[in-house]
Every structure is written in structure tokens, then in C-alpha cells.
Amino acid sequence: MILYELIPLDVLRVIWWLLLGVLLIGFALTDGFDMGVGALLPFVGKTDSERRVAINTVGPVWEGNQVWFILGGGAIFAAWPPLYAVSFSGFYLAMFLVLAALILRPVGFKYRSKRDSAAWRNGWDWALFVGGAVPALIFGVAMGNVLQGVPFELNDMLMPLYPGNFIMKLLGLLNPYALLAGVVSLSMLMMHGAAWLSVKTEGAVKVRATEIGSVAGMVAFAAYILAGIWLAFGITGYHITSVVPDNGPSNPLFSTVEHSGSWMRAYADRPWIAIAPILGLAGIAMAVRGLRAGREVSTLLWSKLGIFGVISSVGLTMFPFILPSSKMPDASLTVWDASSSHQTLFIMLVCALIFMPLILAYTAWVYKVLWGKVTVEDVERDSHTVY
């Protein structure tokens, strides 16, 4: 027997679906508070020193946190090539906005303190705001579009086609439900950034962060409930009506998909997945309570639990769909028909089992070394502080 055949193809596909979720959630849990701090920056820091305090809480770690984003993109490219091709084509404009905003972040960190000019530093502070708020919003908008189905087709050569011109595509992405999902994402990550600042700062910065973060958390809680109700009663779901080719070739056109009913049928078929939205709501609620009560580490942990629950609820609700097509339902990408080959998935799994523990261990060591609060006195006393 060939070595990679020790693990069946359908099992490997589910494993890589889970690992993709782990990478995306890991990105949200770590780089999420970086983006949240950026989105909060103009509001929690009224003076240059206060803004430097906020920036220095994430400046030393943001690059390491962004590794999860790179790993997620790499995993999509290698494990789910059709998903990579279709999503990066259909969400090209969204990807461009995200990348443009993310590019502002390292430039802002490196250039902000190069000149002792209020106008210069304020400009870069707003650049950091854009670098945090825009990706947080766009990621949610993209998720809202995925839940509704993306208008793509596949021809006989499995090439993705997107009908319509540039304006139609832009307006299609910015639909009401997708914008609501963007509000959930942005407010949730602002709450997460506030939870991080409550751990890493003190004084006025911490007070403002907890006040704004608790409001953002309440917005996230309400918007998530509204999005769930809308999904149940206003968004048409997808389901496979043919035999599921779980061990078959990666060809989406081999399946028959029907665009009807509700996504909520997943909760009737698999009642245990209800734990995900429950954890999401409980985590957000407890994070808001912690921010108001002045708790620190526990608030950050509750915030992470809320993010975990919200993101995992989307994946579990859609399973086995990864990217449904509203234009041509039979072209929808699922766990069973959009993966790489059996051998490729196995080799990648071996690599992941080797390198992911190393990444986790290094990340934990970095946070241990950099643990502690950043104060106004610290940044004012140390004139050589980079950020």
C-alpha cells in the first residue's frame, strides 16, 4: 500500500477543512486584536504619547500574528486550488482593498516616528486606522457574500466565469446582508482590540478602550443575532441532492446542488453544531461584562471565545459547502469536490504536523517575553522607541 493511502481521501478532505478553519480563526484571534487596536487608535489616544502607547502594544507582535493570514492563503492555494482560483477572481476588488489597507500598516509603524511633526504623525495614525478598520470590515463583507452564494459559473474546462461589469460586481458585493456581516466583523474585532488594550495599558487609554470596546461588543452581539435571524428567514441555502462523491475526483460539476430552503436545516441534521453560535454569543457577552468590570486577562479570553464561536458557526452551518454559486448552483465548491489530490493533501498534512507546533511554540514564547503593560511614562522616557 502506498503510504498516503493509509488515510482515506474523504478523511483528509475533512482534516484540511478543519485546518483551514483553524488557520482563519488563528488569524482572527491574533491579528484580530492588531486590527482592532488600529481601528480604535484615533479614539483611545488623545495625545501623541497615548497613541504611541496603543501602537506599542501591537507593534512588536503584529508581523508574527500576520503569519496566520499567510498560512491561510497558502493552505487555500495548495489544499483547495479551485477555491483559491474562484475566490481570488470573484473577490479581486475586495482582496485589493484588504491588501492596500494592510500595506498601510507596516508603513505606518515604520514611518510614524521618523519626524517630530504633529501633522505627520496624525496622518500615519489615520493610516493605521484604515489598516485596521478596512480589513476587519471587508472580511465580514466577504463572509456575508459567501453565505448568500457568489455569482460565478464554471465552464467545461472548470474555468470560473463572472458575468457583469465592474460596477455590477462592486454593487453586488456591497449588498445589505454582506454589510451587516461586515458590521459584525468590525465591531467584534474592535471589542477584541479593546480587550487587548485593557490587558496591555493603564490610565486614560485603558478607560477609553474599555468604554468603546463595551459598546462595540454590544453592537457585535446585536448584529450577530440579527444576521442569524436574517440568515434563517431571508437567505436561501444550498444542499446537495445527488450522491455525495466524498472519495471522488475534484470536479464540482459531478454533483447536483439545489439552491432552496434554509441554511438552518444544518441544525436539524446536526444539532450539536448549535454550540458554535452559543459560544459566540456567550463569549461576546462575557467580554462586554469583563470590560465594564475592569477585568483583564479573562476578558481577552472571553473575547477570543466569542470570535471562535462566531467564525466556526459559519463554517459548521455551511458544511460541506465552501463557496456556493448563486449563478450556477451545480458549480458550488464543497469539501468533497474542491481539494487537491490525495497525495498532495497527505504530504501537506505531514508538513503541517511538523511546522504548526513550532509556530505555536515560538508564538507563545514571544508573548511570554513581551508580556507586561505599556505606559505613557515608558514611551516618553524611551526616546528610541521605534513606534
Side-chain angles (χ1 to χ4, degrees), residues 224 326 348:
Y224 181 58
S326 60
M348 287 180 58

Side-chain angles (χ1 to χ4, degrees), residues 140 143-145 147-148 175-182 226-228 230-231 235:
M143 193 59 65
N145 279 284
L147 284 166
Q148 296 174 90
N175 58 78
Y177 185 78
L179 291 173
L180 176 61
L226 179 58
W230 194 338
L231 185 67
I235 304 295

Side-chain angles (χ1 to χ4, degrees), residues 248-307:
S250 292
N251 188 335
L253 299 181
F254 283 180
S255 302
T256 303
V257 175
E258 191 172 293
H259 186 200
S260 64
S262 170
W263 281 117
M264 295 301 137
R265 75 177 63 192
Y267 292 87
D269 297 337
R270 306 185 300 274
W272 61 270
I273 68 174
I275 188 64
I278 291 173
L279 289 177
L281 291 172
I284 293 173
M286 292 301 294
V288 171
R289 182 180 179 184
L291 286 168
R292 290 185 164 186
R295 301 187 183 99
E296 297 181 354
V297 175
S298 63
T299 299
L300 182 62
L301 295 177
W302 281 117
S303 179
K304 290 180 181 293
L305 180 65
I307 293 173

Side-chain angles (χ1 to χ4, degrees), residues 69-375:
F69 183 58
I70 298 170
L71 288 174
I76 293 174
F77 175 78
W80 308 98
L83 174 63
Y84 183 89
V86 174
S87 61
F88 275 66
S89 298
F91 293 113
Y92 181 81
L93 176 62
M95 296 291 182
F96 177 83
L97 291 175
V98 168
L99 291 176
L102 290 178
I103 288 171
L104 286 176
R105 193 161 55 163
V107 178
F109 283 134
K110 299 303 180 184
Y111 278 84
R112 183 189 185 278
S113 295
K114 297 301 183 184
R115 291 179 58 187
D116 190 12
S117 164
W120 172 268
R121 294 188 174 191
N122 286 337
W124 287 116
D125 287 341
W126 283 105
L128 291 172
F129 166 79
V130 172
V134 170
L137 177 67
I138 295 299
F139 287 138
V141 169
M143 193 59 65
N145 279 284
V146 169
L147 284 166
Q148 296 174 90
V150 180
F152 70 90
E153 301 174 353
L154 293 178
N155 63 17
D156 293 339
M157 299 297 292
L158 299 184
M159 293 179 58
L161 304 172
Y162 286 85
N165 56 38
F166 175 82
I167 300 298
M168 290 177 59
K169 293 178 182 178
L170 175 61
L171 294 177
L173 289 175
L174 300 177
N175 58 78
Y177 185 78
L179 291 173
L180 176 61
V183 170
V184 174
S185 176
L186 176 59
S187 57
M188 185 171 63
L189 294 187
M190 288 180 70
M191 176 196 71
H192 197 41
W196 174 253
L197 289 174
S198 74
V199 173
K200 294 290 291 182
T201 65
E202 57 186 30
V205 174
K206 179 177 179 179
V207 170
R208 296 189 194 105
T210 55
E211 290 175 349
I212 299 172
S214 61
V215 173
M218 288 187 286
V219 171
F221 188 91
Y224 181 58
I225 292 177
L226 179 58
I229 296 173
W230 194 338
L231 185 67
F233 300 104
I235 304 295
T236 305
Y238 295 78
H239 64 280
I240 300 175
T241 58
S242 61
V243 176
V244 177
D246 50 7
N247 272 307
S250 292
N251 188 335
L253 299 181
F254 283 180
S255 302
T256 303
V257 175
E258 191 172 293
H259 186 200
S260 64
S262 170
W263 281 117
M264 295 301 137
R265 75 177 63 192
Y267 292 87
D269 297 337
R270 306 185 300 274
W272 61 270
I273 68 174
I275 188 64
I278 291 173
L279 289 177
L281 291 172
I284 293 173
M286 292 301 294
V288 171
R289 182 180 179 184
L291 286 168
R292 290 185 164 186
R295 301 187 183 99
E296 297 181 354
V297 175
S298 63
T299 299
L300 182 62
L301 295 177
W302 281 117
S303 179
K304 290 180 181 293
L305 180 65
I307 293 173
F308 170 82
V310 169
I311 297 177
S312 60
S313 69
V314 176
L316 291 171
T317 299
M318 292 180 58
F319 184 86
F321 290 92
I322 304 176
L323 190 66
S325 169
S326 60
K327 186 72 174 177
M328 183 182 177
D330 287 348
S332 298
L333 306 183
T334 73
V335 172
W336 313 124
D337 57 26
S339 73
S340 290
S341 68
H342 196 164
Q343 183 177 8
T344 300
L345 293 180
F346 180 80
I347 293 173
M348 287 180 58
L349 179 60
V350 173
C351 295
L353 292 175
I354 294 173
F355 290 106
M356 281 195 69
L358 296 176
I359 294 172
L360 290 171
Y362 177 75
T363 301
W365 177 78
V366 168
Y367 278 96
K368 180 181 178 181
V369 170
L370 297 174
W371 194 253
K373 291 186 179 292
V374 180
T375 66

